[in-house]
Amino acid sequence: MISTRPISTAPLQNTATPRSRSGLTSTMLYSWHYFTELLRRPETLVFCLILPAALYLMFGTATENSDSVLREGNVAAFIMTGMGLYGSAIAMTSISGSATQARQEGWNRQLHLAGLTTTQSVAGTIVAMVAFAALPILVTFATAVATGSQFDHVWQWITTGVLSWLVTLPFAVYGLAAALWLRAETATGISSGSLVILAFFGGVFMPLQGTLFDISRFTPFYGPITIAHWPQMAGDQFGNNGNLIMTESPVFALSVTLMWTAIFALLCVVGARRAIKK
């Protein structure tokens, strides 16, 4: 997915007195530099921005019932939400994983030479990552607006977009855990690629029912996608034949999301201790 090659710090080093800047200014300059560097990488644009919008066009506009009413919107809007969330999750996972690997390879020493402390570089990376993760949602939503996706109210567009962005934060922790446990050359690819499987079993790409649905309720994507769909669906879960399966509790959806965040965080802690002992 996203390359693990280090972010160049050349623009930071061109300043005559980099350490004379305030800590906040240095952090934001590095964050902006990291953000723009991500935009220059073809693999980032393809997998994080173009792919989710393309998937929406394939599944959200090519289906016969895309204009059909579904709760407080239409089917196309329902698919749009899932594709935007999936793209944001890929961005969170890939960027956090690649940044962790670069730091493990000693790239933080280069950042220190550019006048950045460890705290500033970490904070700058987090700001850039969180900002970049909003782009797949914006691109997918813009594509959806142009192709007939509809909500009943304007506020649903904003709320759905914000929720879709917020609930993918656990996948940044997932990417970090993968980078700490897997070999550097495979960690980002495996963690990002595994999201396809997790998203399918979480009901992101298509509604599930029966045993698959029962299993999906305890997978990493179920809580986030249920929360993201809330402005439109209010917890209603439909099967692939359009039948109402159940109305999910917001407490359960949030609990599953927090549970997997805690699991990923625990894996990070254990993985970090494991790396120190090597």
Side-chain angles (χ1 to χ4, degrees), residues 83 116 181 203 219 251:
M83 296 305 105
L116 285 173
W181 277 93
T219 60
V251 175

Side-chain angles (χ1 to χ4, degrees), residues 121-144:
S121 63
V122 170
T125 301
I126 292 174
V127 171
M129 175 182 65
V130 172
F132 189 86
L135 293 184
I137 297 172
L138 293 174
V139 172
T140 304
F141 276 39
T143 304

Side-chain angles (χ1 to χ4, degrees), residues 109-129:
R109 291 193 294 270
Q110 298 296 323
L111 297 178
H112 285 310
L113 292 176
L116 285 173
T117 65
T118 299
T119 300
Q120 289 170 348
S121 63
V122 170
T125 301
I126 292 174
V127 171
M129 175 182 65

Side-chain angles (χ1 to χ4, degrees), residues 3-247:
S3 172
T4 59
R5 67 180 184 273
I7 299 291
S8 170
T9 56
L12 297 176
Q13 293 172 327
N14 289 337
T15 305
T17 56
R19 291 188 180 277
S20 64
R21 303 193 202 99
S22 69
L24 178 60
T25 301
S26 296
T27 300
M28 297 312 296
L29 283 174
Y30 174 69
S31 179
W32 174 250
H33 180 60
Y34 197 109
F35 181 84
T36 55
E37 182 69 16
L38 289 170
L39 289 176
R40 296 189 188 101
R41 296 181 172 185
E43 66 273 20
T44 305
L45 296 178
V46 170
F47 288 106
C48 295
L49 301 186
I50 298 177
L51 180 60
L55 289 174
Y56 161 75
L57 291 174
M58 290 174 59
F59 299 107
T61 62
T63 56
E64 295 182 356
N65 63 340
S66 60
D67 294 331
S68 300
V69 174
L70 182 60
R71 287 282 290 165
E72 297 192 30
N74 60 10
V75 172
F78 180 87
I79 297 174
M80 169 202 72
T81 302
M83 296 305 105
L85 182 145
Y86 174 67
S88 184
I90 289 181
M92 287 285 193
T93 300
S94 301
I95 297 172
S96 65
S98 61
T100 301
Q101 291 164 27
R103 185 166 299 279
Q104 289 174 332
E105 295 167 0
W107 186 242
N108 58 323
R109 291 193 294 270
Q110 298 296 323
L111 297 178
H112 285 310
L113 292 176
L116 285 173
T117 65
T118 299
T119 300
Q120 289 170 348
S121 63
V122 170
T125 301
I126 292 174
V127 171
M129 175 182 65
V130 172
F132 189 86
L135 293 184
I137 297 172
L138 293 174
V139 172
T140 304
F141 276 39
T143 304
V145 169
T147 54
S149 289
Q150 294 180 352
F151 286 125
D152 289 355
H153 308 284
V154 174
W155 66 264
Q156 291 172 302
W157 287 95
I158 300 173
T159 307
T160 300
V162 172
L163 289 176
S164 298
W165 175 61
L166 290 177
V167 295
T168 56
L169 290 174
F171 295 98
V173 188
Y174 173 67
L176 174 58
L180 291 170
W181 277 93
L182 302 175
R183 292 189 303 175
E185 62 269 20
T186 61
T188 302
I190 292 176
S191 60
S192 300
S194 65
L195 289 184
V196 178
I197 300 173
L198 293 176
F200 172 79
F201 282 103
V204 174
F205 296 137
M206 59 181 293
L208 304 175
Q209 59 186 32
T211 303
L212 279 179
F213 175 76
D214 294 337
I215 295 173
S216 74
R217 295 183 70 229
F218 299 94
T219 60
F221 266 104
Y222 179 80
I225 192 62
T226 300
I227 294 172
H229 280 309
W230 205 270
Q232 178 183 5
M233 306 301 296
D236 285 355
Q237 304 292 326
F238 286 87
N240 52 25
N241 58 0
N243 60 309
L244 178 63
I245 298 175
M246 65 173 295
T247 299

